[in-house]
Amino acid sequence: MARTDARTLPLDETSTAALAQRALLYRLVDPADPEALRAYSTAEARGFLGEEPTDDEAREFGESIGYRRRIGVYDEAGLDPQVPVATVNSWVGELSVPGDRVTPFWAISGVTVSPARRRRGIARAMLEGELRTAHDAGVAVAGLTVSEATIYGRFGFAPAVEATTWDIDTRRAGWRGGDVPGSFDYVRREEAVALLEDLHERVRVTRPGDVDGWRGRWRQFAMIAGGSKEPGRTRVVRYADAEGVVRGAVVYRLTEDPADMARHTLDITYLVADGDEAYRALWGFVLRHDLVSRVRASLRSVDEPLPWLLADRRGAHVSVHDHEWLRILDVPGALAGRGYAAAGTQVIAVSDPLGFAEGTWMLEIGTDGEARVTPTDATPQVSMPVASLAALYLGGVHAATLRSAGQLTGEDDAVRALSRAFSGDTAPALGIWY
Ligand SMILES: CC(C)(COP(=O)(O)OP(=O)(O)OC[C@H]1O[C@@H](n2cnc3c(N)ncnc32)[C@H](O)[C@@H]1OP(=O)(O)O)[C@@H](O)C(=O)NCCC(=O)NCCS
């Protein structure tokens, strides 16, 4: 099925009216207008407290997200009415879900409101506009990676993918992963883009929560995008297996300890492995790197095999945080879009203040792991707010855990059956921001 081009969809009328009441203009950014694109990039950089882009950087950024629908909110009475006071962009991407498949989802990014216009309901108008537009376009799930965990719950989103951050004292941690056959080679940064793109495409479908990437993301990782700081400190190394097939790559950055050359820090930007051997090979490479005593990595999964490769796992400090948040917009569409680990029938009541997912639903899962979802008048066995359904969607948390936290209700048997059915083979993971 062809994916909807988000750029072709009309602006949401309710949000247009809500912002007009505040004398603000809600507008699609014209992709053919370089001045408007530059102003959009400037506004987004201000919102994320980044450096304001040069003209070239703004042009490059504009091109790299040219496939997205970009919206600006403009204050025509402001000092610089060309620069939006708020931004958001979105597109229909592919989300990997349990059952080794992908489902279309409404990806949202670049949500910013100028610090000079904050807390006047602008983000609410933009976010609700995104959700209505996605729902009207028939997209069942929306998602984003978030700067703060406190913003999106009120719109029905929940953390569906958690991520871990690693700080490893390599001398203490040691290595018990052995050696795997194969070879490592440095890759020129210009050539890393195609390599990362290819590896990510191969691997993303195997892990619920992952999404399709875009060229601009790989250019940033390879430090060849405009505005890259100290690009020469970044290295890209690829791993090929014994047959010479490229199976993985690691992008990292080295920082010297001025007091001791043998104590460099190696920060992993991205490590992608197509298979277990590649995983062990690449971690073995970074953890046994000469002149390096500390390795750091972020956006790793919560069930990383890494502790099992360390001689002393206490040499690694690991912290967990929420990363990707989802919002269910269409219960039958979303639930039928993934596969399940156990057959059975459940009646689930979902409450949704915004109305999209509200209702009581019969979830019938066959022995093939496929689900059929229909509205029903039957008495619900399990009841939950829409955010809890998003938390469960990729199998990142058990229904029983949410019940303990008071975020779902139901009898023991029904909750246990739901936990079993929704579990995936692996914890959901997402190694990039979008
Ligand atoms: C986060 C941000 C977009 C909010 O914009 P805003 O226009 O001030 O938000 P609104 O006025 O529409 O607020 C909507 C609701 O969210 C709440 N809210 C907004 N920002 C919040 C924050 N950072 N933390 C907690 N709650 C927040 C508001 O209190 C309000 O709550 P309520 O309606 O339930 O009472 C804006 O502060 C911003 O650009 N921050 C920096 C960039 C950023 O982090 N963007 C998010 C990227 S994922």
Side-chain angles (χ1 to χ4, degrees):
M1 197 179 74
R3 271 199 254 167
T4 305
D5 183 344
R7 295 170 301 183
T8 61
L9 301 172
L11 275 175
D12 179 66
E13 286 175 12
T14 309
S15 294
T16 305
L19 289 163
Q21 274 195 344
R22 300 165 173 83
L24 296 168
L25 204 60
Y26 180 62
R27 208 164 62 198
L28 288 170
V29 179
D30 178 359
D33 179 351
E35 217 17 65
L37 290 175
R38 190 196 55 73
Y40 179 93
S41 302
T42 300
E44 195 182 298
R46 283 182 190 163
F48 286 124
L49 316 189
E51 271 182 41
E52 292 195 10
T54 63
D55 285 353
D56 281 350
E57 286 162 16
R59 190 177 327 110
E60 185 185 333
F61 174 66
E63 282 168 12
S64 84
I65 62 164
Y67 64 96
R68 302 182 186 178
R69 158 189 155 106
R70 281 164 280 199
I71 291 180
V73 176
Y74 297 84
D75 182 353
E76 294 197 306
L79 190 57
D80 192 356
Q82 302 304 318
V83 179
V85 297
T87 62
V88 61
N89 67 69
S90 47
W91 67 102
V92 180
E94 276 184 354
L95 174 70
S96 303
V97 293
D100 290 328
R101 64 191 79 180
V102 296
T103 195
F105 84 117
W106 187 265
I108 301 173
S109 182
V111 179
T112 72
V113 173
S114 160
R117 298 288 188 283
R118 68 192 284 279
R119 305 302 182 268
R120 299 177 194 184
I122 299 178
R124 177 176 284 281
M126 292 196 303
L127 253 302
E128 292 184 0
E130 289 300 314
L131 298 180
R132 279 189 293 268
T133 306
H135 176 260
D136 292 351
V139 183
V141 182
L144 34 68
T145 50
V146 307
S147 60
E148 291 191 84
T150 46
I151 304 171
Y152 295 100
R154 60 175 52 75
F155 303 112
F157 287 84
V161 178
E162 294 187 306
T164 51
T165 302
W166 293 71
D167 191 341
I168 307 168
D169 171 348
T170 59
R171 307 234 160 100
R172 176 167 181 191
W175 177 253
R176 65 171 186 124
D179 288 305
V180 287
S183 57
F184 300 98
D185 280 293
Y186 284 92
V187 177
R188 291 160 60 101
R189 288 187 293 108
E190 294 73 18
E191 283 154 23
V193 174
L195 172 72
L196 296 175
E197 202 166 33
D198 173 52
L199 284 165
H200 180 79
E201 272 304 297
R202 269 193 258 161
V203 167
R204 71 175 166 97
V205 294
T206 63
R207 182 71 97 160
D210 214 332
V211 300
D212 45 345
W214 65 102
R215 184 149 283 217
R217 173 53 78 232
W218 313 125
R219 287 176 60 81
Q220 283 168 341
F221 281 3
M223 300 294 271
I224 56 172
S228 297
K229 301 281 172 311
E230 295 190 290
R233 302 201 75 82
T234 290
R235 308 268 186 274
V236 184
V237 169
R238 67 168 213 195
Y239 163 74
D241 66 17
E243 278 75 49
V245 180
V246 176
R247 293 282 180 203
V250 56
V251 185
Y252 60 92
R253 202 172 162 76
L254 292 161
T255 312
E256 187 178 350
D257 177 344
D260 184 349
M261 200 193 169
R263 301 183 63 82
H264 279 72
T265 295
L266 186 157
D267 281 296
I268 295 175
T269 309
Y270 191 57
L271 185 152
V272 55
D274 178 8
D276 296 338
E277 270 195 0
Y279 182 89
R280 289 200 301 280
L282 290 163
W283 277 107
F285 179 86
V286 295
L287 289 173
R288 293 180 294 180
H289 200 300
D290 289 326
L291 304 183
V292 166
S293 62
R294 184 179 191 193
V295 168
R296 294 187 296 199
S298 57
L299 301 188
R300 303 303 312 177
S301 82
V302 294
D303 66 354
E304 205 67 40
L306 188 53
W308 304 97
L309 295 173
L310 304 178
D312 179 356
R313 57 176 67 204
R314 295 188 190 182
H317 291 280
V318 190
S319 57
V320 183
H321 63 90
D322 59 289
H323 179 40
E324 184 178 33
W325 289 54
L326 297 182
R327 209 288 179 197
I328 305 297
L329 294 165
D330 164 10
V331 174
L335 294 188
R338 55 157 288 179
Y340 295 84
T345 298
Q346 294 266 343
V347 178
I348 301 171
V350 179
S351 59
D352 183 355
L354 293 179
F356 304 118
E358 179 80 28
T360 302
W361 308 94
M362 174 92 68
L363 169 64
E364 293 166 281
I365 303 169
T367 47
D368 55 0
E370 301 293 325
R372 210 168 71 93
V373 185
T374 44
T376 178
D377 293 328
T379 307
Q381 295 158 292
V382 179
S383 303
M384 65 185 101
V386 65
S388 294
L389 189 59
L392 293 175
Y393 187 58
L394 300 175
V397 64
H398 285 303
T401 307
L402 291 183
R403 188 180 65 174
S404 298
Q407 294 181 21
L408 175 150
T409 55
E411 296 300 324
D412 283 350
D413 285 353
V415 170
R416 236 182 262 129
L418 205 61
S419 292
R420 269 198 304 275
F422 274 68
S423 294
D425 297 337
T426 57
L430 172 66
I432 61 173
W433 292 88
Y434 63 81

